[in-house]
Amino acid sequence: MTGTGGSLPEKILTNRDLEKLVETSDEWITTRTGIRERRVARPDETMSKFAVQASVRALEMAKLPAASIDLMICATVTPDMPIPATACLIQNRIGAARAAAFDLSAGCSGFIYALSVAHQFVRTGTYRNILVIGAEVLTRYLDWTDRTTCILFADGAGAVVLSADPEAEGRGIIASAIHTDGSMADFITLPGGGTLHPPTEESVKQGLHFIRMKGNETFKLAVRSIEDVCREVLGAAGIGPDDIDLFVPHQANARIIDAVGNRLGIPKEKVYLNIDRTGNTSSASIPIALDEANRKGLVKRGDRILFAAFGAGLTWGASVLRW
Ligand SMILES: CC(C)(COP(=O)(O)OP(=O)(O)OC[C@H]1O[C@@H](n2cnc3c(N)ncnc32)[C@H](O)[C@@H]1OP(=O)(O)O)[C@@H](O)C(=O)NCCC(=O)NCCS
């Protein structure tokens, strides 16, 4: 992983601002989720805008011209539009003319899924340079009268560059695992806008274009599944939780992250948290957090980093990376 980049909207929405919209309190949101404020895109800002900024920053850090990118994967559930894939728009804007580009949808686990796909292409020698993006503008799909969801989700983008390097000597992605259980697909949904409920006046009236979530049920499953998949990738990497230098989890809820950290025995100072400032940015949360940690100098050559996520699908996954 030779470069990281992130991009957040400028506009900040605080818990106090939300108190004016729904029956909630700063105290409830902070203690139940760990979120104090989040970033929200302006009406004229699209997912691709943030994805392009994050990509350019990652490529600058990697000192890699966009023309050298072979493959681009954009993990997202909030594309600019259904057709074409937003990865194609990003490809054109950053000038990655040689790259094949596609979107990947795996809920909040999208970035881990995309990393896992990219890893296969690097490992088989098919591609040399891959740009993996996680980007979302989730606030477009929030019901600002539903206090169970509008306090959680937010906007932003992160990107990483993966490059094949014969001299990497064990550095790079060491192990990854991805899982799905479609029997609980109804836990987190955005039912409208697809072939089941095409966008009509009626579908909008029914609020089918809003994100819905069974939060409490999701919470319990998330803790158990993330712990299991972390143990799975640590086992595959031949290391234990003690060998992890930094844990960068999907920022869904600080209580989920605390519970997973405790169960794995990873001390708090090794867990990177930014949910207090970013909220839940779904596919974007891990690459945004990683880029912050990296630019703060918290990642050193040879460090072992654990990534893990859980989300709509239901999907979950984890990766271990040697920096
Ligand atoms: C959404 C979430 C923060 C809710 O926290 P919780 O502790 O589970 O709360 P519950 O849903 O059990 O609700 C408890 C009470 O708080 C109320 N409540 C819900 N949202 C509230 C809000 N924003 N402000 C004040 N009260 C709220 C509920 O109505 C409920 O009231 P009741 O007991 O009178 O019915 C939490 O369940 C969560 O983070 N879930 C997982 C999200 C996730 O990981 N998603 C997958 C990845 S995106």
Side-chain angles (χ1 to χ4, degrees), residues 23-24 28 32-33 108 147-148 151-153 188 213 215-216 218-219 250 252-253 255-256 280 310-311:
E23 184 66 39
T24 191
W28 193 96
R32 296 287 182 121
T33 70
C108 295
R147 65 178 184 175
T148 67
I151 58 144
L152 292 172
F153 297 104
I188 308 167
M213 182 171 68
N216 200 269
T218 307
F219 187 103
H250 166 47
N253 185 315
R255 286 190 297 141
I256 295 179
N280 179 345
F310 184 89

Side-chain angles (χ1 to χ4, degrees), residues 69-74 87 90-91 94 96 99-102 130-131 133:
I69 295 287
D70 303 304
L71 176 70
M72 294 173 50
I73 309 173
C74 180
I90 304 165
Q91 183 240 28
I94 65 173
F102 65 95
I130 304 185
L131 181 65
I133 305 161

